[in-house]
Amino acid sequence: MKIVIIGGTGLIGSKLVSKLREHGHEAVAASPDTGVNTLTGDGLAEALRDAAAVVDVSNSPSFEEKAVMDFFTTSTRNLLKFAAAAGVTHYVALSVVGTERIPDSPYLRAKTAQEALIKDAGVPYTIVHATQFFEFVKRIADEATTGTTVRLPPVLIQPMAADDVAKAVGRIAVGPPLNGMVEVAGPQQFRFDELIRQGLSARHDPRDVVADQHARYFGAELTERSLIPADDARLGEVRFQDWLSLPIPQSAGGAQQR
Ligand SMILES: NC(=O)c1ccc[n+]([C@@H]2O[C@H](COP(=O)([O-])OP(=O)(O)OC[C@H]3O[C@@H](n4cnc5c(N)ncnc54)[C@H](OP(=O)(O)O)[C@@H]3O)[C@@H](O)[C@H]2O)c1
């Protein structure tokens, strides 16, 4: 089965390409690095020729409000247009658990706009909502840092390993389109501040992590369960402590590093 992975050189995309190839699929990594640009349309027609499925795991280089909205709306419009023209029968996109509940976040508003375009396009689709990746812990901390203090609300979070995300997205991509949304999450819940404290401490990062009910997460105030999936979420296997004890990869496979 030919499956095109948009963002196939990124954190999730590169893992997804490997896993699909291990299972005998023709997985094509598509990104500016491989001559495919969803913002301009360059290379899309050729990449999607004879593809059964396309999986969008691309990400905006900038999380700034206008830039991120422009990225997800322009890239998704282009991708849907080329996917329909190529006769793609399954359009899969990766988004974030709680997206619809957190409209104060410019990033998640852009993801909501992306999802709306997909739902309206008429191409059979599945939207996968994943929780925060373990690999994203440092980026979250950096965003929430003032001086040497990281402020985060002590709400619940159920993060997952990028490996588990790629596995789940791969299974969905080779299955039938659900024309709906599926949630995937990690096997354990944490308090947000405690997760980040553990993650930084394991990397000998000296910053203090302080629980602050009103601290914002990428611009949004959270409630106790904003980041938590419903009870029927598909759960990954990798536990945070086990992941922390793995060696740190030497080469970058995307923007987020452990
Ligand atoms: N971080 C989290 O905790 C989290 C949680 C749930 C869902 N998600 C979602 O997961 C998705 C993937 O995230 P990630 O961390 O794997 O991303 P990433 O490592 O930053 O990779 C982004 C990919 O997008 C590609 N890309 C950028 N601009 C492009 C363009 N114009 N045309 C085609 N490809 C382009 C990049 O290609 P180049 O390298 O060539 O630029 C790269 O392959 C995102 O949509 C995000 O919303 C993230």
Side-chain angles (χ1 to χ4, degrees):
M1 182 171 170
K2 178 174 171 185
I3 305 172
V4 178
I5 316 302
I6 305 293
T9 54
L11 174 67
I12 301 300
S14 52
K15 291 176 185 293
L16 181 56
V17 167
S18 307
K19 286 181 197 301
L20 289 169
R21 286 183 185 158
E22 280 165 23
H23 284 86
H25 297 288
E26 184 193 348
V28 177
S31 76
D33 265 1
T34 70
V36 179
N37 190 328
T38 48
L39 291 177
T40 59
D42 287 348
L44 270 179
E46 205 176 323
L48 291 174
R49 187 170 302 129
D50 299 326
V54 57
V55 184
D56 185 7
V57 287
S58 66
N59 208 357
S60 173
S62 164
F63 285 16
E64 185 276 323
E65 181 165 5
K66 183 176 180 314
V68 72
M69 182 61 85
D70 286 349
F71 178 87
F72 280 116
T73 53
T74 304
S75 65
T76 302
R77 278 196 188 96
N78 278 333
L79 194 48
L80 284 163
K81 185 177 76 184
F82 281 95
V88 164
T89 53
H90 194 181
Y91 186 108
V92 179
L94 183 57
S95 188
V96 188
V97 163
T99 291
E100 67 290 351
R101 294 192 289 268
I102 314 175
D104 287 353
S105 155
Y107 183 85
L108 295 181
R109 272 203 302 279
K111 296 298 286 184
T112 299
Q114 174 190 22
E115 293 183 27
L117 289 167
I118 296 166
K119 290 173 191 164
D120 283 352
V123 179
Y125 72 91
T126 306
I127 292 169
V128 185
H129 274 192
T131 54
Q132 286 63 39
F133 311 156
F134 295 161
E135 287 79 356
F136 201 48
V137 160
K138 183 175 178 299
R139 175 86 186 259
I140 291 171
D142 292 350
E143 177 73 17
T145 297
T146 307
T148 56
T149 305
V150 183
R151 289 185 187 280
L152 285 164
V155 299
L156 291 172
I157 186 165
Q158 198 170 330
M160 65 191 298
D163 253 330
D164 275 340
V165 179
K167 252 187 222 166
V169 173
R171 283 194 195 112
I172 289 161
V174 299
L178 302 176
N179 295 313
M181 186 266 281
V182 174
E183 288 186 319
V184 299
Q188 304 161 276
Q189 289 187 356
F190 297 83
R191 291 282 160 191
F192 205 171
D193 57 311
E194 187 50 33
L195 173 80
I196 303 300
R197 197 173 291 117
Q198 283 183 27
L200 293 185
S201 151
R203 298 289 171 242
H204 310 293
D205 187 316
R207 283 177 282 181
D208 281 331
V209 181
V210 172
D212 174 348
Q213 199 64 53
H214 297 291
R216 287 177 173 259
Y217 171 61
F218 288 97
E221 273 206 30
L222 301 177
T223 60
E224 177 78 348
R225 300 187 70 82
S226 305
L227 302 176
I228 295 296
D231 290 343
D232 61 354
R234 304 177 187 186
L235 301 188
E237 290 169 358
V238 183
R239 298 172 74 81
F240 189 52
Q241 283 303 335
D242 295 336
W243 179 85
L244 283 174
S245 65
L246 296 171
I248 299 174
Q250 291 306 304
S251 65
Q256 291 103 29
Q257 294 303 296
R258 190 177 294 168

